[in-house]
Amino acid sequence: MATTASAPPRARTATKVAPKSAAKAPTTTTTLTITSKNYSSWSLRGWLLTRFSGLAFAENVLPPDDPSTRAEILLLSSSILVPCLTHEGIKVWDTLAIAEYLNEVCPKAGLLPADAKARAHCRAISGEMHSGFSALRSSLPMNLRGHFPKFKIWSRAQADIDHICSIWRDCLDTYGGPYLFGEKRSVADAMYAPVCTRFATYDVKLDEACAAYRDLMLAEPEMKEWFSAAKAEQIDNIDELDVEF
């Protein structure tokens, strides 16, 4: 019986599978918008708060001679350009709002004291710095590159200075120093840091405890970094007294 030859098997065509691309981890960019490091005390506060929190960020520095930025610096605009923190799609402006937000996202940094009573105290004196001391701001504006020994301080500014010193002494006595709320830097230290620069710029006479606190803050590595950048800053056409106080 004849056998029928079977057809040869068909060659299998290899199917090329495109290699799977590695899944890319979502990237987040944290930025802090600030302006002049020589003149802007609010930029310094926001920057210190973010550095104290340990949150990595990039700086977005607005030129102080830009008209909109200048209006912001001179308190003629309500746009709240600086400081402004952008983190994981969340935009936070106003220094105290930034402080509270950073305390939430970076709780281990201890920007606010753990004790409820101390925490309330810290918020109170930080709020006072945020909204008060207008005489000090108007007569002793922040100017890190300037030094004005024998500067004449008028009575209302001196009253602000005396009140700030009483706040410092109270905190240092109550919480034991070396910072305002003990051994860790807090929101309050960031809020009062620009005042330390003013006291140095205008050679303000302080008692021993307040002078020691001023010198401690000015010696912080973050402050030295900021001072170095301020000295390298190129700024033209800004009246040294016509700036953000």
Side-chain angles (χ1 to χ4, degrees):
M1 183 175 182
T3 59
T4 304
S6 58
R10 293 181 180 178
R12 294 183 179 178
T13 303
T15 303
K16 293 183 179 180
V17 180
K20 293 181 179 179
S21 58
K24 293 183 179 180
T27 58
T28 58
T29 302
T30 301
T31 60
L32 182 72
T33 300
I34 57 176
T35 185
S36 170
K37 290 189 173 182
N38 188 65
Y39 294 114
S40 178
S41 63
W42 290 111
S43 291
L44 174 56
R45 291 182 178 102
W47 188 85
L48 284 176
L49 286 166
T50 313
R51 287 295 296 270
F52 289 176
S53 76
L55 185 67
F57 66 97
E59 295 179 10
N60 177 31
V61 182
L62 301 178
D65 55 351
D66 178 83
S68 61
T69 310
R70 183 176 176 81
E72 179 83 12
I73 293 175
L74 297 178
L75 307 182
L76 300 176
S77 167
S78 59
S79 59
I80 316 297
L81 296 177
V82 293
C84 182
L85 177 68
T86 303
H87 174 246
E88 296 186 350
I90 300 172
K91 188 175 182 179
V92 189
W93 60 96
D94 184 90
T95 315
L96 287 183
I98 291 172
E100 293 288 349
Y101 178 77
L102 289 171
N103 187 63
E104 289 182 5
V105 299
C106 303
K108 292 183 179 179
L111 290 177
L112 289 173
D115 177 74
K117 184 177 180 180
R119 192 162 60 249
H121 189 183
C122 183
R123 283 186 168 117
I125 67 167
S126 297
E128 192 169 3
M129 184 72 256
H130 186 267
S131 60
F133 306 113
S134 59
L136 172 68
R137 291 174 176 167
S138 61
S139 63
L140 282 72
M142 187 167 116
N143 184 348
L144 302 187
R145 291 186 294 190
H147 184 221
F148 309 103
K150 300 180 180 179
F151 184 81
K152 178 65 175 177
I153 300 174
W154 58 304
S155 59
R156 287 183 59 193
Q158 186 61 53
D160 280 353
I161 292 169
D162 293 343
H163 184 42
I164 287 170
C165 287
S166 71
I167 290 173
W168 287 4
R169 286 191 297 269
D170 181 37
C171 286
L172 294 170
D173 289 344
T174 302
Y175 305 104
Y179 302 106
L180 293 179
F181 286 85
E183 297 182 355
K184 295 186 69 173
R185 300 178 300 189
S186 69
V187 170
D189 297 298
M191 293 298 291
Y192 282 85
V195 174
C196 295
T197 74
R198 288 180 167 100
F199 287 173
T201 296
Y202 298 97
D203 201 25
V204 176
K205 304 306 177 186
L206 303 173
D207 61 70
E208 185 177 353
C210 291
Y213 175 70
R214 175 204 60 199
D215 293 344
L216 172 72
M217 289 303 300
L218 294 180
E220 292 295 289
E222 293 87 354
M223 291 290 282
K224 288 183 176 180
E225 180 182 342
W226 183 275
F227 265 83
S228 179
K231 289 179 180 179
E233 195 172 71
Q234 299 297 319
I235 303 176
D236 296 317
N237 301 321
I238 293 186
D239 188 330
E240 75 183 18
L241 295 181
D242 187 28
V243 296
E244 185 270 323
F245 305 134

